[in-house]
Amino acid sequence: MSNTTRTLARRAGLVAAAVSAALLLAACGGGSGDGGHEGHAAPSASASASGGVSAGAHNAKDVAFAQGMIPHHRQALEMARLAAERGSSAQVKDLAARIEKAQDPEIRTMSGWLRAWGEDVPQDGGGSDMPGMEHHASHSGASGMAEMPGMMGEQDMAELQKASGKDFDRLFLTMMVEHHKGALEMAKAEQAKGAYGPAKKTAGDIVTGQSAEIAEMNGLLS
């Protein structure tokens, strides 16, 4: 009986030790799994949040760029539409059509940014497709548009509106070169100081496209 009792006791001890070891390993494995999952998820969530903020960030320069470039583009469209009516050169009319095709969508895009940011969108003169001379004069006086690089004044626009034929072509090209140079100045400032990726890309497109058009117009003038 004594030997039998000792044998049973040893067996019971071995079983208890094995069970304890199994429970310990299970506990360690579970803790490691949970900890590993949490450690992997946190950086992923953090990166996602960081990426979202970066993609949507904009600053005051982005707002100023859009609010300034919209009326600047609108004046270019007005000049381009006059070329279709009063110009004599097919090259000038083709250039004017390309200017309108490029800048009209940019106006819509920049207006969308401003609405999304909760900022004011510059008015276009009561919804008219082609703002009148009175609008340009009043808008310039009210918000400093007359000081915007390359913007034509009321007298300049009135002179262009009265011209026709070759005189119009020469005046249009001369004025549009200056107008484009002003746009380049504004776009380069956005490239240097803006924060919103799409705005900086649009500024780059303006620099590339209008630089080429300036060279083209200077060629036509000479």
Side-chain angles (χ1 to χ4, degrees), residues 190-203:
E190 167 63 19
Q191 285 182 306
K193 299 180 181 179
Y196 187 56
K200 291 169 75 72
K201 182 183 182 302
T202 295

Side-chain angles (χ1 to χ4, degrees), residues 72-86 92 96 99-100 130 133 136 150-152 156-157 160 168 171-180:
H72 202 276
H73 272 16
R74 284 179 180 148
Q75 189 178 70
L77 295 188
E78 181 175 353
M79 295 165 68
R81 288 164 183 159
L82 287 173
E85 301 170 3
R86 310 185 73 82
V92 167
I99 288 172
E100 184 172 359
M130 187 164 65
M133 298 303 106
H136 283 298
M151 283 289 280
M152 298 297 111
D156 296 320
M157 294 301 294
L160 184 65
F168 177 91
L171 192 59
F172 170 82
L173 292 170
T174 302
M175 291 172 59
M176 192 61 82
V177 166
E178 294 306 311
H179 201 270
H180 273 23

Side-chain angles (χ1 to χ4, degrees), residues 3 9 18 31 46 84 98-99 103 108 119 124-125 132 136 153 159 167 213:
N3 290 336
S46 176
R98 283 184 277 123
I99 288 172
Q103 297 193 22
R108 293 195 295 270
E119 301 288 350
D124 66 354
H136 283 298
E159 184 180 0
D167 288 339
E213 289 172 351

Side-chain angles (χ1 to χ4, degrees), residues 13-69:
L14 290 172
V15 170
V19 171
S20 297
L23 290 174
L24 180 61
L25 287 172
C28 290
S32 175
D34 291 343
H37 176 72
E38 290 174 2
H40 180 72
S44 176
S46 176
S48 175
S50 176
V53 171
S54 177
H58 70 278
N59 61 17
K61 188 62 185 178
D62 298 317
V63 175
F65 169 70
Q67 289 180 334
M69 194 61 79

